[in-house]
Every structure is written in C-alpha cells, then in structure tokens.
Amino acid sequence: HAGAKPPPTPSPLRSSKFLQSNMRVLVTGGAGFIGSHLVDKLMENEKNEVIVADNYFTGSKDNLRKWIGHPRFELIRHDITEPLLVEVDQIYHLACPASPIFYKHNPVKTIKTNVIGTLNMLGLAKRVGARILLTSTSEVYGDPLQHPQTEEYWGNVNPIGVRSCYDEGKRVAETLMFDYHRQHGIEIRIARIFNTYGPRMNIDDGRVVSNFIAQALRGEPLTVQAPGTQTRSFCYVSDMVDGLIRLMEGENTGPINIGNPGEFTMMELAEIVKELVEPSVTIKNVENTPDDPRQRKPDITKAKQVLGWTPKVTLREGLPLMEEDFRKRLGVPKKA
Ligand code: NAD
Ligand code: UDP
Ligand code: UDP
C-alpha cells in the first residue's frame, strides 16, 4: 500500500461545534408527561443533542417550552405510525397514550402506535445502528396471579378486552424488540414501568393520582372506583427518569421493572390525598371499568442489582410536589 490515507473529511456535524463524543438522542413521545421530564434530564448533559418526535395526541409543546429554540434541541411534529428518517445514536421510545381514557378513546390507533410505531422505530434503529429503549408497562402482567410481579412472570392478560389495545400492544412491542435484537443484532433495552406520577401530568386524563389531586383542589369528592381495595404502587417521575437513563446506559437488555414497591389500596390513596391536600373533601365510591387489575407491585430486585437503582421519593414526599404544580395550573392558591 502506497502512502498514508488522507485524513477523513470532517462531516458537517463533526466539524460543527459539536464534538465527536456528542450523542444524538431521539425521544418519541417527548412532549408527554414522563418524556418531557426525561428531556429535561438529557438536556442537562451538554454532550446530548435531543430530538423529540411527538404528534401531541396527549402531550403538549408547553411541556417543552423551556427548550424550544435551544441549539441542542429540536421538536418535530410527527406520528410514529409513519416512517421517520433521522440520524441518531439512541432512541428512547415512549410514544403511546398511557392513560386508560385516552388509549381506549381510539383503540385502533393505540395498537397501531404500539405495533407499527415500534416497528418503525426498530427499522430506524437498524438503519442507523442506534440503541433503542422501549417504555413497556406493568400492564403486560395483566391482572397478575403472582404478587409482587417479577420480570419472569408471563402475565394474565385478556387478549380481547377494552384494555388489550394497550397491554397486548405493549406485549407485541416487546416481542418486536427481542426479534430485532435476535435477528438483526439491534441493541435493545426494555423498561416495564409501574404507575408513575408527578408534575405535568394531564390534569383531566383520568388517572388516579391526577384525578384525586384535581378533585381535592376543586373541592369535589374523591372518586374511588369499586371495590377500593385494589392496589397500585406509585413511582415519582424523577426516580423513573433516573431508572430509564441507567437502563439505557447499562449493559442489560431487560425487561426490567422500574417502579416504587410502596403499595397502596385506592381507598388508602384517597385518604392520604385528603389528609395532605384538602381535609374537608369527601370520598365517594363509584363504578369501576372492566378488567381493572386487582393488585400491582413491582419486584425491583433486578433493577437494584443490575442498575444500582432504587426509588428515593416516597408517596408522601412526592404528592405535595405534584399538588404545587396542580395548584399553579388550576389557579388554586395554597390556603394561608
Ligand atoms: P403521555 O400520554 O403523557 O405521553 C405519551 C406521549 O406520546 C404524548 O406526548 C403523546 O402525544 C405521544 N404520542 C402518542 N401517540 C403518538 C404517536 N402515534 N406518534 C407520536 N407521538 C405519540 O404518557 P406518559 O405517562 O408520559 O407515558 C410515556 C410512556 O410510558 C408510554 O409509552 C407509556 O405507555 C409508558 N408508561 C407510563 C406509565 C405511567 O404511569 N405514566 C406506566 C407504564 C408505562
Ligand atoms: N423505518 C423508519 N425509519 C428508518 C428506517 C426504517 O421509519 O430510518 C421503517 C420502515 O418504513 C419500515 C420499518 O421501519 O416500515 C421496519 O424497517 P425494516 O428495515 O426493519 O423493515 P423493511 O423496511 O425491510 O420492511
Ligand atoms: N381509580 C380510582 N379513581 C379514579 C381513577 C382511577 O379509584 O378516579 C382506580 C382504578 O380503578 C385503578 C387505579 O385507580 O384501580 C389506577 O388507575 P389508573 O387509571 O390511574 O392506572 P392503571 O389502571 O393504568 O394502573
């Protein structure tokens, strides 16, 4: 071979002010509740360039307003059921309505988002060699017969119910992730997220924590759906974001449960919200919706071992932070 190779011509990106070690990160669903908190955390790292793709079905530009115009940030109105062409190193794939009233509103669209949307993001990951993280859900365990739920549990899911567009949709999304991993060598990460709460949740999206806080602030009765003894385990959003980033940066594909093991019945949650937010409100029993899981609590042994992650914020610490945000948005000042 004659002579040394000429130095490579710098690509426009590499020759710009961004250095080689910069990471381009796509966040689908980044205008939503968890996505926008994730974007805040990713933007804190000056080596990250963040691209958000969102169709604003349940998210809003308002959640990202502090980053609009920032040189390391880009916001694209895009529906992920359509192909997306961008050049990125990592994909946090969150796009999917998460609240039952929204995912049941247009179930066909929900399952398309889970299946075709995830397929498109995997095709993108394959083309550009990106690592992709899917935010799956504890709903893949359905109405679980094992308690607490470990990642090995296969679940108890109704394939033809009104929640199936979401929980079966996420199960197919997980299958697609593993098939692209095995067949095409794609680097995948799967988080199974348990109920998460915090500032910026949609005020009227029907989820239990947002419902109770909004009801307490409006002086309306807290609606506990029958029987009220069903349980959930609530994770504060900053803990969730920390877990997701650790999973992306670590070596384990998952699936890994990310959630707070503190378990409460819905009646207990109502009592706590009443005590912390507005002791004068009443609690009302109302009808439930079909296929509501009776119990849910993550076993987080794997997250502790593999990610060195444990949640830090308890429900009693997290609720007042969310209350503060809801007070501002609803215009209800704190009583003196
Ligand atoms: P969210 O509804 O606030 O955010 C979802 C975002 O995805 C929204 O901004 C929405 O506009 C966007 N989106 C929906 N369909 C889209 C499409 N076809 N194309 C582009 N964008 C689309 O919900 P969230 O609570 O932030 O949930 C984020 C992710 O975490 C979801 O994948 C959800 O399934 C998962 N998850 C959340 C919880 C929870 O308790 N919040 C629990 C388990 C799993
Ligand atoms: N895709 C995408 N962006 C890309 C590459 C692919 O949205 O950068 C979509 C593509 O339109 C296809 C899906 O991802 O529908 C799966 O792509 P893959 O290459 O795995 O499958 P194929 O195109 O061969 O069916
Ligand atoms: N729930 C309730 N009152 C409400 C909304 C929900 O008691 O106003 C109950 C619901 O029946 C379920 C639990 O709270 O048992 C969690 O519901 P959510 O929709 O927040 O989340 P998911 O069912 O997806 O866990």
Side-chain angles (χ1 to χ4, degrees), residues 304-322:
K304 282 184 186 160
Q305 280 169 356
V306 171
L307 309 177
W309 177 85
T310 44
K312 299 193 173 61
V313 183
T314 64
L315 187 62
R316 280 180 178 275
E317 289 164 344
L319 285 176
L321 303 172
M322 185 165 162

Side-chain angles (χ1 to χ4, degrees), residues 270-288:
E271 295 288 355
I272 296 171
V273 170
K274 178 178 156 89
E275 175 203 321
L276 293 178
V277 180
E278 184 51 72
S280 71
V281 295
T282 57
I283 294 174
K284 175 168 100 178
N285 291 301
V286 298
E287 235 177 86
N288 205 336

Side-chain angles (χ1 to χ4, degrees), residues 100 139 163 195 206-208 211-212 215 223-225 230 232 266 288 292-293 296:
E139 300 257 338
R163 297 176 87 104
N195 296 59
R207 282 187 270 187
V208 69
N211 267 11
F212 285 178
Q215 287 162 343
T223 53
V224 173
Q225 294 176 352
Q230 70 273 33
R232 292 293 188 274
M266 294 311 101
N288 205 336
D292 184 42
R296 191 183 287 154

Side-chain angles (χ1 to χ4, degrees), residues 36 39-41 43-44 63-74:
S36 64
V39 167
D40 288 353
K41 194 72 193 173
M43 286 296 293
E44 277 176 22
N63 289 335
L64 294 167
R65 66 174 173 266
K66 72 171 157 191
W67 301 119
I68 291 168
H70 191 290
R72 288 187 287 109
F73 180 77
E74 209 173 323

Side-chain angles (χ1 to χ4, degrees), residues 11 15 25 30 39 57 66 71 81 98 100 116 119 129 148 152 157 165 183 191 193 206 211 226 231 262 284 331:
S11 74
S15 63
V25 188
V39 167
F57 173 48
K66 72 171 157 191
T81 59
I116 302 171
L119 183 73
E152 285 67 41
V157 182
C165 59
Q183 192 173 335
I193 296 183
N211 267 11
T231 66
K284 175 168 100 178

Side-chain angles (χ1 to χ4, degrees), residues 220-240:
E220 295 166 2
L222 310 187
T223 53
V224 173
Q225 294 176 352
T229 50
Q230 70 273 33
T231 66
R232 292 293 188 274
S233 305
F234 299 100
C235 185
Y236 191 67
V237 66
S238 58
D239 283 331
M240 180 55 55

Side-chain angles (χ1 to χ4, degrees), residues 1-10:
H1 292 280
K5 277 190 192 162
T9 320

Side-chain angles (χ1 to χ4, degrees), residues 61-93:
K61 272 188 206 171
D62 208 37
N63 289 335
L64 294 167
R65 66 174 173 266
K66 72 171 157 191
W67 301 119
I68 291 168
H70 191 290
R72 288 187 287 109
F73 180 77
E74 209 173 323
L75 179 57
I76 312 172
R77 177 190 288 267
H78 179 78
D79 188 317
I80 55 146
T81 59
E82 299 295 334
L84 176 63
L85 292 178
V86 288
E87 313 303 311
V88 293
D89 305 296
Q90 290 184 338
I91 304 168
Y92 285 90
H93 174 36

